[in-house]
Amino acid sequence: MTDNAMSPGRLLVGCAGWSVPKADAAAFPVEGSHLERYAAVFPAVEINSSFYRPHRPATYAKWAASVPEGFRFAVKVPRAITHDARMESVDTLVAQFAAEAGQLGDKLGALLVQLPPKFGFVDEPARRLFGQLHELFGCVVAFEARHPSWFSDAATELLRESSVVRVIADPAAGQPGPHVPTSEQSVYVRLHGSPRIYYSRYSPAYVESVRRVLARQVAAGRTCWCIFDNTAGFEAVPNALELMHGQYAQPPDETAILSAPW
């Protein structure tokens, strides 16, 4: 499944995981599994548990069967590949991951490759991994690095040549300047919470500023993922609901995410 620049854009809002906090339960159906209830409201989710441990192919197939046709999963590439092996000699690990997550079928919309903050720029291992992921999965590959060298001109060129979407992250760990996009077809935003990462709730004005930026990107024909990762304080779901449905009287925070040229 490959994004087409001539296709209509789409906004895929979701959270890192499909837990439904009790405080927000009224926004979801009462019946069904957590995933079924979540997928009745949101169009996408990011699976982070795959980073820590493998899931059986049957589990991925069950998840795919639990959601509507238009729902899309993003799956985080295992740390065994990105952190432990540092993308070196990972053919067997990548094949195993493909046999598992590939069971999502057409409902797999993106893969997330995230590197640790101390892992600096390397060309050939990354180029090979990105090529393998495209070949085996055929979906969007998004990349979140947290070392400054991954924002260099050489790294930007690698990502563009490899058809990889540079993640727009908040906080933007390791990023020395404004966001430099590497794709004309897709946008992938990960909002981790600020000022306290994973815990803080974003203000309505900030969420509205993100919504306006993404609306322009969708109007330009791009597929836009916006994943809220501020799950530790149970703020991801309310923030995601605000982005999808909120209308605010106060002006958006145009100095927040709009400072990036994307």
Side-chain angles (χ1 to χ4, degrees):
M1 178 173 52
T2 304
D3 283 326
N4 186 328
M6 301 304 294
S7 299
R10 188 179 181 198
L11 178 59
L12 295 168
V13 179
C15 305
W18 51 75
S19 296
V20 177
K22 290 183 179 179
D24 302 292
F28 298 85
V30 175
E31 301 296 329
S33 66
H34 284 291
L35 177 56
E36 288 170 336
R37 295 171 63 212
Y38 172 99
V41 175
F42 293 121
V45 73
E46 185 181 89
I47 299 176
N48 277 196
S49 56
S50 55
F51 176 75
Y52 300 100
R53 63 185 186 280
H55 298 299
R56 295 184 301 115
T59 298
Y60 281 107
K62 180 181 178 181
W63 289 340
S66 299
V67 299
E69 281 301 315
F71 189 88
R72 292 294 178 264
F73 292 89
V75 184
K76 194 170 183 179
V77 173
R79 66 174 298 151
I81 295 171
T82 56
H83 288 50
D84 301 338
R86 298 173 71 88
M87 302 189 290
E88 294 272 12
S89 303
V90 293
D91 293 13
T92 300
L93 291 171
V94 172
Q96 177 186 338
F97 177 54
E100 297 162 356
Q103 295 302 308
L104 291 172
D106 289 342
K107 292 172 184 174
L108 174 61
L111 298 174
L112 171 66
V113 179
Q114 185 189 64
L115 297 185
K118 294 182 179 180
F119 191 170
F121 173 64
V122 292
D123 188 303
E124 287 306 319
R127 192 180 298 272
R128 177 174 174 80
L129 175 61
F130 294 147
Q132 289 175 312
L133 294 177
H134 279 302
E135 180 180 356
L136 292 172
F137 290 93
C139 66
V140 169
V141 176
F143 180 66
E144 183 179 15
R146 293 173 287 177
H147 187 278
S149 61
W150 280 104
F151 298 92
S152 65
D153 291 343
T156 298
E157 182 180 1
L158 165 63
L159 297 181
R160 287 175 176 160
E161 291 177 350
S162 300
S163 300
V164 171
V165 182
R166 174 178 276 150
V167 167
I168 300 169
D170 181 75
Q175 184 173 318
H179 172 74
V180 177
T182 59
S183 171
E184 291 296 324
Q185 290 79 43
S186 304
V187 173
Y188 201 105
V189 180
R190 301 190 81 219
L191 302 177
H192 300 293
S194 182
R196 188 183 180 194
I197 191 169
Y198 306 131
Y199 284 87
S200 292
R201 183 167 182 167
Y202 289 100
S203 69
Y206 182 88
V207 172
E208 176 63 9
S209 73
V210 174
R211 187 194 66 78
R212 293 191 183 192
V213 172
L214 293 178
R216 291 199 291 269
Q217 297 295 317
V218 170
R222 298 183 177 97
T223 298
C224 297
W225 293 75
C226 186
I227 300 297
F228 286 90
D229 189 33
N230 49 342
T231 55
F234 306 104
E235 303 293 4
V237 166
N239 269 162
L241 289 171
E242 287 171 352
L243 193 146
M244 287 185 65
H245 305 300
Q247 297 294 327
Y248 306 110
Q250 62 265 57
D253 181 3
E254 297 289 345
T255 66
I257 202 166
L258 294 184
S259 61
W262 55 282

